[in-house]
Amino acid sequence: MRRPRRLLKNTAAEASQFRRRAALAFAGVVLALAGLALWYFRLQVLQYEDYATRSEQNRIKLSPVVPGRGLIYDRDGRILADNVPAFRLEVTMNEAGDPAGWLPELSKIIALTPEEIAGFHEARKATRGFKPVPLKMRITPDEAARFAVDRWRYPGVEIVSYLNRRYLHGALFAHVVGYVARVDADDVKAMGEDIANFSHTGKTGLERSYEQVLRGGIGYEKVETNVEGRPMGLVGRVPATPGADLRLSVDLDLQKAMVAAFGEADGSAVAVDPRTGQVLAMVSKPSYDTNLFVNGISHADYNALLNDPSRPLFNRNVLGGGPPGSTVKPMVALAGLDSGLRTAEDRTFSSGEFFIPGQRRGYRDSHRGGHGWTDLRQSIAQSVNTYYYKLALDMGIDTLARYMHRYGFGEPTGIDLAGENEGVVPSRDYKRSVSTEPWYPGETVIAGIGQGYWIATALQLARATAAIANGGDLHELRLVEARRDGYREPWRALPATPSTRITDNAGHLRAVQEGMVMTVHGPRGTARALASAPYTIAGKTGTAQRSSRKGSVSADPRSLPYHLRHTALFVGYAPAEAPTIAVAVVVEHGGYGGSAAAPIARAVFDAWLLGKMPEGFEDVERPPPPAADGEAVNGPDDAAADAPVARSTTP
């Protein structure tokens, strides 16, 4: 048997292989050390600030400091909306965990309503986990004491002091000042994540329009905490910027007088200073207590407001509107003069019924037998429909619409409230947008007396009336007169928008003004019930129909069901020689303007000019809450001259 050959050992090859392996191992070690060095460099240099911040956050908790919301005053410095100290329960979800584990037990310590629990769940879905979410907005001292005993069992749940919004005059300024309510998901979506730092935001009225001005800027406190997250002390602070205060042009006493003058009637009214366009009073009736909404209104209260057929939540001045009736006749008369179709002395014969040439259908006047020969001044004073039927037909709807837009109808008044209704001026373009029918001459005829497709708001009527009163300047209407960016800072007037001219012919305007004075002080004026005033009033009554005549018989609004009774209107200004106030009054289901709306205007004039308040004035204001917690159709327009005259509400 052959023996195997013995292999010789290659020492050089083994040494070379060892050197290669050693070099690779050394390279691996070097690379590992380099990687480790780079990692330490990244941690210690490149990402130092990030990790230092995270480390600091484990020790320091940033707590938002919500500024005090700006106060709201009337023109004389009387507070309408302020803030009062209160306590609320807040939850930071990252620290508290799943509510199913602690909320039932917490409810045994602090009473929580179903509305509060539902609002909490809705708010936490719209808020990041590290930001506090309100659970209960008003904590009583007893509840705070009970919670303090078991505080350790509820990490992330805190009792926080804050300033709660309060409205000292409740329903009186509901449709002017508006209200704040808790921030919800819609608010965050509309205004951004920053609003989530605030518990409340403006929802309606001036609270909404001036939200950015009133709420101020958020601040922060740096609170040192222990390992359990409990605060140990304050180590730094970024102060909040308080919200600015607002001073309104509205007068508290005049607002109360206007509400009292309405009595039990529903409707709207606006009083403005014709020299500036500042709103002196603005009422929408019925109203509601805005304090109900601040910390969440109950389902029962909210349903009561929603189901009220009088719609107290509806702002009639800003969102409403309807046919203005005969209150637009002074503007139509001015358009006739400015267009050159009429002079102030031109006369039109009123036989009691007007016919479009070639048609058999008649359009009734306010007097069954007519008014005879009538010029511009008499047509305003006696509210002669025939004068305006013929004038509108001669003018044509296109010219009429152009002048009405010039006088501010179909246009926003500029009022500093959201959602203003621009209204509708009858025109071919508007009808094309709502109907396939052509424009008919009869529609032009009734447009001349403020009927048909017309939609005008009390704000627009007051603005146009003020322009007639002041000599032709159409001012933008404003509620806020000035702002103050700190209690020790001076008030700064808000800049005014330049006015526009409605006419450059003083003689034309004077003729219209004289006709409006005759409405009150003339022998056959439709508002002669106001003639006893110790000052001169210029005005115009109006009746916007909700039902039409049958055949040749006109409906007496007093005999109609309540919901079909005509809307009563009045516009006017005083004193006529040097006006300081202009008003527009709309009384729903009131019947005739001369008997329902004019006395309200008289009470407002008396309150402003004489300081005389109407009956019920003292009963309007409620005590403040506790600090702790239809399209019209042809027919008679304004028959007030033949209607019984209501007595003035002025004592």
Side-chain angles (χ1 to χ4, degrees), residues 523-554:
R524 299 185 64 188
T526 57
R528 60 180 180 268
L530 309 187
S532 61
Y535 47 85
T536 306
I537 300 173
K540 183 69 195 78
T541 57
T543 304
Q545 294 177 237
R546 300 178 64 89
S547 61
S548 63
R549 64 188 176 103
K550 295 183 178 180
S552 60
V553 179
S554 299

PDB file of all heavy atoms in Angstrom, residues 523-554:
ATOM      1  N   PRO A 523    -101.291 119.205   6.222  1.00  0.00           N
ATOM      2  CA  PRO A 523    -102.677 118.930   6.638  1.00  0.00           C
ATOM      3  C   PRO A 523    -103.162 117.538   6.244  1.00  0.00           C
ATOM      4  O   PRO A 523    -104.081 117.015   6.869  1.00  0.00           O
ATOM      5  CB  PRO A 523    -103.487 120.025   5.931  1.00  0.00           C
ATOM      6  CG  PRO A 523    -102.631 120.437   4.771  1.00  0.00           C
ATOM      7  CD  PRO A 523    -101.222 120.301   5.231  1.00  0.00           C
ATOM      8  N   ARG A 524    -102.567 116.938   5.212  1.00  0.00           N
ATOM      9  CA  ARG A 524    -103.014 115.610   4.778  1.00  0.00           C
ATOM     10  C   ARG A 524    -101.862 114.603   4.795  1.00  0.00           C
ATOM     11  O   ARG A 524    -101.907 113.586   4.122  1.00  0.00           O
ATOM     12  CB  ARG A 524    -103.611 115.691   3.376  1.00  0.00           C
ATOM     13  CG  ARG A 524    -104.824 116.603   3.264  1.00  0.00           C
ATOM     14  CD  ARG A 524    -105.436 116.535   1.886  1.00  0.00           C
ATOM     15  NE  ARG A 524    -105.949 115.214   1.595  1.00  0.00           N
ATOM     16  CZ  ARG A 524    -106.409 114.844   0.389  1.00  0.00           C
ATOM     17  NH1 ARG A 524    -106.364 115.703  -0.622  1.00  0.00           N
ATOM     18  NH2 ARG A 524    -106.878 113.625   0.207  1.00  0.00           N
ATOM     19  N   GLY A 525    -100.849 114.874   5.594  1.00  0.00           N
ATOM     20  CA  GLY A 525     -99.709 113.969   5.673  1.00  0.00           C
ATOM     21  C   GLY A 525    -100.062 112.644   6.313  1.00  0.00           C
ATOM     22  O   GLY A 525    -100.910 112.567   7.209  1.00  0.00           O
ATOM     23  N   THR A 526     -99.408 111.582   5.857  1.00  0.00           N
ATOM     24  CA  THR A 526     -99.713 110.250   6.369  1.00  0.00           C
ATOM     25  C   THR A 526     -99.115 109.992   7.747  1.00  0.00           C
ATOM     26  O   THR A 526     -99.422 108.968   8.353  1.00  0.00           O
ATOM     27  CB  THR A 526     -99.187 109.174   5.398  1.00  0.00           C
ATOM     28  OG1 THR A 526     -97.778 109.354   5.220  1.00  0.00           O
ATOM     29  CG2 THR A 526     -99.884 109.258   4.055  1.00  0.00           C
ATOM     30  N   ALA A 527     -98.259 110.894   8.255  1.00  0.00           N
ATOM     31  CA  ALA A 527     -97.681 110.728   9.590  1.00  0.00           C
ATOM     32  C   ALA A 527     -97.986 111.937  10.451  1.00  0.00           C
ATOM     33  O   ALA A 527     -97.175 112.338  11.292  1.00  0.00           O
ATOM     34  CB  ALA A 527     -96.176 110.505   9.493  1.00  0.00           C
ATOM     35  N   ARG A 528     -99.173 112.526  10.268  1.00  0.00           N
ATOM     36  CA  ARG A 528     -99.484 113.740  11.012  1.00  0.00           C
ATOM     37  C   ARG A 528     -99.639 113.482  12.510  1.00  0.00           C
ATOM     38  O   ARG A 528     -99.694 114.426  13.309  1.00  0.00           O
ATOM     39  CB  ARG A 528    -100.746 114.398  10.461  1.00  0.00           C
ATOM     40  CG  ARG A 528    -101.995 113.540  10.510  1.00  0.00           C
ATOM     41  CD  ARG A 528    -103.193 114.307   9.938  1.00  0.00           C
ATOM     42  NE  ARG A 528    -104.412 113.510   9.978  1.00  0.00           N
ATOM     43  CZ  ARG A 528    -104.817 112.738   8.984  1.00  0.00           C
ATOM     44  NH1 ARG A 528    -104.079 112.673   7.877  1.00  0.00           N
ATOM     45  NH2 ARG A 528    -105.931 112.033   9.079  1.00  0.00           N
ATOM     46  N   ALA A 529     -99.676 112.205  12.930  1.00  0.00           N
ATOM     47  CA  ALA A 529     -99.721 111.907  14.364  1.00  0.00           C
ATOM     48  C   ALA A 529     -98.463 112.389  15.074  1.00  0.00           C
ATOM     49  O   ALA A 529     -98.467 112.581  16.290  1.00  0.00           O
ATOM     50  CB  ALA A 529     -99.889 110.405  14.581  1.00  0.00           C
ATOM     51  N   LEU A 530     -97.394 112.623  14.314  1.00  0.00           N
ATOM     52  CA  LEU A 530     -96.139 113.069  14.918  1.00  0.00           C
ATOM     53  C   LEU A 530     -96.024 114.587  14.968  1.00  0.00           C
ATOM     54  O   LEU A 530     -95.031 115.116  15.472  1.00  0.00           O
ATOM     55  CB  LEU A 530     -94.944 112.504  14.135  1.00  0.00           C
ATOM     56  CG  LEU A 530     -94.913 111.003  13.852  1.00  0.00           C
ATOM     57  CD1 LEU A 530     -93.584 110.612  13.219  1.00  0.00           C
ATOM     58  CD2 LEU A 530     -95.163 110.199  15.117  1.00  0.00           C
ATOM     59  N   ALA A 531     -97.008 115.286  14.442  1.00  0.00           N
ATOM     60  CA  ALA A 531     -96.906 116.739  14.306  1.00  0.00           C
ATOM     61  C   ALA A 531     -96.860 117.465  15.638  1.00  0.00           C
ATOM     62  O   ALA A 531     -96.463 118.633  15.704  1.00  0.00           O
ATOM     63  CB  ALA A 531     -98.075 117.268  13.467  1.00  0.00           C
ATOM     64  N   SER A 532     -97.251 116.811  16.719  1.00  0.00           N
ATOM     65  CA  SER A 532     -97.257 117.469  18.028  1.00  0.00           C
ATOM     66  C   SER A 532     -95.868 117.581  18.635  1.00  0.00           C
ATOM     67  O   SER A 532     -95.708 118.187  19.700  1.00  0.00           O
ATOM     68  CB  SER A 532     -98.165 116.694  18.992  1.00  0.00           C
ATOM     69  OG  SER A 532     -97.683 115.363  19.159  1.00  0.00           O
ATOM     70  N   ALA A 533     -94.876 117.013  18.021  1.00  0.00           N
ATOM     71  CA  ALA A 533     -93.518 117.069  18.552  1.00  0.00           C
ATOM     72  C   ALA A 533     -93.043 118.519  18.611  1.00  0.00           C
ATOM     73  O   ALA A 533     -93.350 119.324  17.721  1.00  0.00           O
ATOM     74  CB  ALA A 533     -92.575 116.245  17.687  1.00  0.00           C
ATOM     75  N   PRO A 534     -92.263 118.880  19.630  1.00  0.00           N
ATOM     76  CA  PRO A 534     -91.762 120.258  19.742  1.00  0.00           C
ATOM     77  C   PRO A 534     -90.571 120.539  18.833  1.00  0.00           C
ATOM     78  O   PRO A 534     -89.837 121.494  19.063  1.00  0.00           O
ATOM     79  CB  PRO A 534     -91.367 120.353  21.221  1.00  0.00           C
ATOM     80  CG  PRO A 534     -91.004 118.969  21.604  1.00  0.00           C
ATOM     81  CD  PRO A 534     -91.916 118.068  20.813  1.00  0.00           C
ATOM     82  N   TYR A 535     -90.368 119.743  17.846  1.00  0.00           N
ATOM     83  CA  TYR A 535     -89.318 119.922  16.853  1.00  0.00           C
ATOM     84  C   TYR A 535     -89.882 119.457  15.516  1.00  0.00           C
ATOM     85  O   TYR A 535     -90.918 118.775  15.457  1.00  0.00           O
ATOM     86  CB  TYR A 535     -88.066 119.108  17.217  1.00  0.00           C
ATOM     87  CG  TYR A 535     -88.370 117.686  17.621  1.00  0.00           C
ATOM     88  CD1 TYR A 535     -88.503 116.674  16.665  1.00  0.00           C
ATOM     89  CD2 TYR A 535     -88.548 117.344  18.959  1.00  0.00           C
ATOM     90  CE1 TYR A 535     -88.804 115.383  17.031  1.00  0.00           C
ATOM     91  CE2 TYR A 535     -88.849 116.053  19.331  1.00  0.00           C
ATOM     92  CZ  TYR A 535     -88.979 115.069  18.368  1.00  0.00           C
ATOM     93  OH  TYR A 535     -89.295 113.796  18.732  1.00  0.00           O
ATOM     94  N   THR A 536     -89.239 119.843  14.446  1.00  0.00           N
ATOM     95  CA  THR A 536     -89.737 119.516  13.113  1.00  0.00           C
ATOM     96  C   THR A 536     -89.194 118.157  12.676  1.00  0.00           C
ATOM     97  O   THR A 536     -87.997 117.900  12.746  1.00  0.00           O
ATOM     98  CB  THR A 536     -89.309 120.583  12.094  1.00  0.00           C
ATOM     99  OG1 THR A 536     -89.732 121.858  12.569  1.00  0.00           O
ATOM    100  CG2 THR A 536     -89.941 120.315  10.740  1.00  0.00           C
ATOM    101  N   ILE A 537     -90.119 117.299  12.203  1.00  0.00           N
ATOM    102  CA  ILE A 537     -89.758 115.960  11.741  1.00  0.00           C
ATOM    103  C   ILE A 537     -90.008 115.864  10.247  1.00  0.00           C
ATOM    104  O   ILE A 537     -91.039 116.322   9.744  1.00  0.00           O
ATOM    105  CB  ILE A 537     -90.590 114.881  12.468  1.00  0.00           C
ATOM    106  CG1 ILE A 537     -90.350 114.934  13.984  1.00  0.00           C
ATOM    107  CG2 ILE A 537     -90.264 113.484  11.929  1.00  0.00           C
ATOM    108  CD1 ILE A 537     -91.250 114.010  14.776  1.00  0.00           C
ATOM    109  N   ALA A 538     -89.076 115.282   9.538  1.00  0.00           N
ATOM    110  CA  ALA A 538     -89.267 114.932   8.132  1.00  0.00           C
ATOM    111  C   ALA A 538     -89.343 113.418   8.047  1.00  0.00           C
ATOM    112  O   ALA A 538     -88.523 112.719   8.652  1.00  0.00           O
ATOM    113  CB  ALA A 538     -88.116 115.453   7.276  1.00  0.00           C
ATOM    114  N   GLY A 539     -90.316 112.893   7.329  1.00  0.00           N
ATOM    115  CA  GLY A 539     -90.454 111.440   7.320  1.00  0.00           C
ATOM    116  C   GLY A 539     -91.241 110.930   6.136  1.00  0.00           C
ATOM    117  O   GLY A 539     -91.703 111.687   5.275  1.00  0.00           O
ATOM    118  N   LYS A 540     -91.384 109.624   6.100  1.00  0.00           N
ATOM    119  CA  LYS A 540     -92.189 108.961   5.066  1.00  0.00           C
ATOM    120  C   LYS A 540     -92.668 107.633   5.622  1.00  0.00           C
ATOM    121  O   LYS A 540     -91.887 106.829   6.122  1.00  0.00           O
ATOM    122  CB  LYS A 540     -91.377 108.721   3.796  1.00  0.00           C
ATOM    123  CG  LYS A 540     -92.194 108.092   2.674  1.00  0.00           C
ATOM    124  CD  LYS A 540     -93.219 109.073   2.127  1.00  0.00           C
ATOM    125  CE  LYS A 540     -94.275 108.383   1.274  1.00  0.00           C
ATOM    126  NZ  LYS A 540     -95.296 107.693   2.104  1.00  0.00           N
ATOM    127  N   THR A 541     -93.982 107.423   5.539  1.00  0.00           N
ATOM    128  CA  THR A 541     -94.576 106.162   5.962  1.00  0.00           C
ATOM    129  C   THR A 541     -94.564 105.163   4.808  1.00  0.00           C
ATOM    130  O   THR A 541     -94.416 105.529   3.641  1.00  0.00           O
ATOM    131  CB  THR A 541     -96.022 106.376   6.425  1.00  0.00           C
ATOM    132  OG1 THR A 541     -96.756 106.980   5.355  1.00  0.00           O
ATOM    133  CG2 THR A 541     -96.078 107.290   7.645  1.00  0.00           C
ATOM    134  N   GLY A 542     -94.736 103.903   5.149  1.00  0.00           N
ATOM    135  CA  GLY A 542     -94.787 102.867   4.130  1.00  0.00           C
ATOM    136  C   GLY A 542     -95.514 101.646   4.632  1.00  0.00           C
ATOM    137  O   GLY A 542     -95.557 101.375   5.832  1.00  0.00           O
ATOM    138  N   THR A 543     -96.111 100.917   3.695  1.00  0.00           N
ATOM    139  CA  THR A 543     -96.793  99.669   4.013  1.00  0.00           C
ATOM    140  C   THR A 543     -96.439  98.651   2.947  1.00  0.00           C
ATOM    141  O   THR A 543     -96.793  98.835   1.779  1.00  0.00           O
ATOM    142  CB  THR A 543     -98.327  99.846   4.072  1.00  0.00           C
ATOM    143  OG1 THR A 543     -98.647 100.862   5.021  1.00  0.00           O
ATOM    144  CG2 THR A 543     -99.009  98.552   4.450  1.00  0.00           C
ATOM    145  N   ALA A 544     -95.722  97.608   3.343  1.00  0.00           N
ATOM    146  CA  ALA A 544     -95.358  96.542   2.408  1.00  0.00           C
ATOM    147  C   ALA A 544     -96.376  95.424   2.545  1.00  0.00           C
ATOM    148  O   ALA A 544     -96.528  94.835   3.618  1.00  0.00           O
ATOM    149  CB  ALA A 544     -93.957  96.027   2.706  1.00  0.00           C
ATOM    150  N   GLN A 545     -97.077  95.136   1.450  1.00  0.00           N
ATOM    151  CA  GLN A 545     -98.186  94.197   1.504  1.00  0.00           C
ATOM    152  C   GLN A 545     -97.728  92.750   1.557  1.00  0.00           C
ATOM    153  O   GLN A 545     -96.753  92.366   0.935  1.00  0.00           O
ATOM    154  CB  GLN A 545     -99.088  94.384   0.281  1.00  0.00           C
ATOM    155  CG  GLN A 545     -99.783  95.720   0.244  1.00  0.00           C
ATOM    156  CD  GLN A 545    -100.590  95.874  -1.026  1.00  0.00           C
ATOM    157  OE1 GLN A 545    -100.384  96.802  -1.773  1.00  0.00           O
ATOM    158  NE2 GLN A 545    -101.492  94.948  -1.275  1.00  0.00           N
ATOM    159  N   ARG A 546     -98.494  91.945   2.296  1.00  0.00           N
ATOM    160  CA  ARG A 546     -98.304  90.503   2.330  1.00  0.00           C
ATOM    161  C   ARG A 546     -99.476  89.779   1.683  1.00  0.00           C
ATOM    162  O   ARG A 546     -99.458  88.559   1.527  1.00  0.00           O
ATOM    163  CB  ARG A 546     -98.138  90.025   3.774  1.00  0.00           C
ATOM    164  CG  ARG A 546     -96.953  90.653   4.488  1.00  0.00           C
ATOM    165  CD  ARG A 546     -96.861  90.187   5.915  1.00  0.00           C
ATOM    166  NE  ARG A 546     -96.609  88.749   5.999  1.00  0.00           N
ATOM    167  CZ  ARG A 546     -95.385  88.214   6.016  1.00  0.00           C
ATOM    168  NH1 ARG A 546     -94.327  89.001   5.951  1.00  0.00           N
ATOM    169  NH2 ARG A 546     -95.222  86.918   6.104  1.00  0.00           N
ATOM    170  N   SER A 547    -100.510  90.526   1.339  1.00  0.00           N
ATOM    171  CA  SER A 547    -101.645  89.954   0.613  1.00  0.00           C
ATOM    172  C   SER A 547    -102.192  91.032  -0.301  1.00  0.00           C
ATOM    173  O   SER A 547    -102.011  92.225  -0.064  1.00  0.00           O
ATOM    174  CB  SER A 547    -102.736  89.474   1.584  1.00  0.00           C
ATOM    175  OG  SER A 547    -103.220  90.567   2.351  1.00  0.00           O
ATOM    176  N   SER A 548    -102.852  90.644  -1.367  1.00  0.00           N
ATOM    177  CA  SER A 548    -103.336  91.598  -2.362  1.00  0.00           C
ATOM    178  C   SER A 548    -104.849  91.727  -2.287  1.00  0.00           C
ATOM    179  O   SER A 548    -105.543  90.972  -1.608  1.00  0.00           O
ATOM    180  CB  SER A 548    -102.918  91.148  -3.761  1.00  0.00           C
ATOM    181  OG  SER A 548    -103.523  89.911  -4.070  1.00  0.00           O
ATOM    182  N   ARG A 549    -105.352  92.686  -3.035  1.00  0.00           N
ATOM    183  CA  ARG A 549    -106.793  92.894  -3.087  1.00  0.00           C
ATOM    184  C   ARG A 549    -107.452  91.812  -3.915  1.00  0.00           C
ATOM    185  O   ARG A 549    -106.812  91.152  -4.732  1.00  0.00           O
ATOM    186  CB  ARG A 549    -107.097  94.266  -3.708  1.00  0.00           C
ATOM    187  CG  ARG A 549    -106.666  94.402  -5.161  1.00  0.00           C
ATOM    188  CD  ARG A 549    -106.820  95.844  -5.614  1.00  0.00           C
ATOM    189  NE  ARG A 549    -106.323  96.039  -6.972  1.00  0.00           N
ATOM    190  CZ  ARG A 549    -107.072  96.162  -8.048  1.00  0.00           C
ATOM    191  NH1 ARG A 549    -108.376  96.063  -7.956  1.00  0.00           N
ATOM    192  NH2 ARG A 549    -106.531  96.366  -9.234  1.00  0.00           N
ATOM    193  N   LYS A 550    -108.736  91.615  -3.704  1.00  0.00           N
ATOM    194  CA  LYS A 550    -109.532  90.710  -4.514  1.00  0.00           C
ATOM    195  C   LYS A 550    -110.481  91.546  -5.369  1.00  0.00           C
ATOM    196  O   LYS A 550    -111.360  92.215  -4.859  1.00  0.00           O
ATOM    197  CB  LYS A 550    -110.330  89.747  -3.629  1.00  0.00           C
ATOM    198  CG  LYS A 550    -109.441  88.801  -2.828  1.00  0.00           C
ATOM    199  CD  LYS A 550    -110.274  87.821  -2.022  1.00  0.00           C
ATOM    200  CE  LYS A 550    -109.384  86.848  -1.248  1.00  0.00           C
ATOM    201  NZ  LYS A 550    -110.194  85.894  -0.455  1.00  0.00           N
ATOM    202  N   GLY A 551    -110.252  91.484  -6.646  1.00  0.00           N
ATOM    203  CA  GLY A 551    -111.045  92.311  -7.545  1.00  0.00           C
ATOM    204  C   GLY A 551    -110.779  93.766  -7.289  1.00  0.00           C
ATOM    205  O   GLY A 551    -109.648  94.222  -7.354  1.00  0.00           O
ATOM    206  N   SER A 552    -111.816  94.511  -6.975  1.00  0.00           N
ATOM    207  CA  SER A 552    -111.663  95.939  -6.717  1.00  0.00           C
ATOM    208  C   SER A 552    -111.686  96.260  -5.231  1.00  0.00           C
ATOM    209  O   SER A 552    -111.719  97.407  -4.834  1.00  0.00           O
ATOM    210  CB  SER A 552    -112.805  96.709  -7.412  1.00  0.00           C
ATOM    211  OG  SER A 552    -114.053  96.269  -6.900  1.00  0.00           O
ATOM    212  N   VAL A 553    -111.652  95.233  -4.398  1.00  0.00           N
ATOM    213  CA  VAL A 553    -111.742  95.438  -2.960  1.00  0.00           C
ATOM    214  C   VAL A 553    -110.363  95.269  -2.338  1.00  0.00           C
ATOM    215  O   VAL A 553    -109.713  94.244  -2.506  1.00  0.00           O
ATOM    216  CB  VAL A 553    -112.724  94.440  -2.314  1.00  0.00           C
ATOM    217  CG1 VAL A 553    -112.775  94.661  -0.802  1.00  0.00           C
ATOM    218  CG2 VAL A 553    -114.097  94.589  -2.942  1.00  0.00           C
ATOM    219  N   SER A 554    -109.916  96.274  -1.650  1.00  0.00           N
ATOM    220  CA  SER A 554    -108.621  96.211  -0.974  1.00  0.00           C
ATOM    221  C   SER A 554    -108.783  95.576   0.397  1.00  0.00           C
ATOM    222  O   SER A 554    -109.774  95.802   1.095  1.00  0.00           O
ATOM    223  CB  SER A 554    -108.024  97.604  -0.824  1.00  0.00           C
ATOM    224  OG  SER A 554    -107.815  98.182  -2.090  1.00  0.00           O
TER     225      SER A 554
END
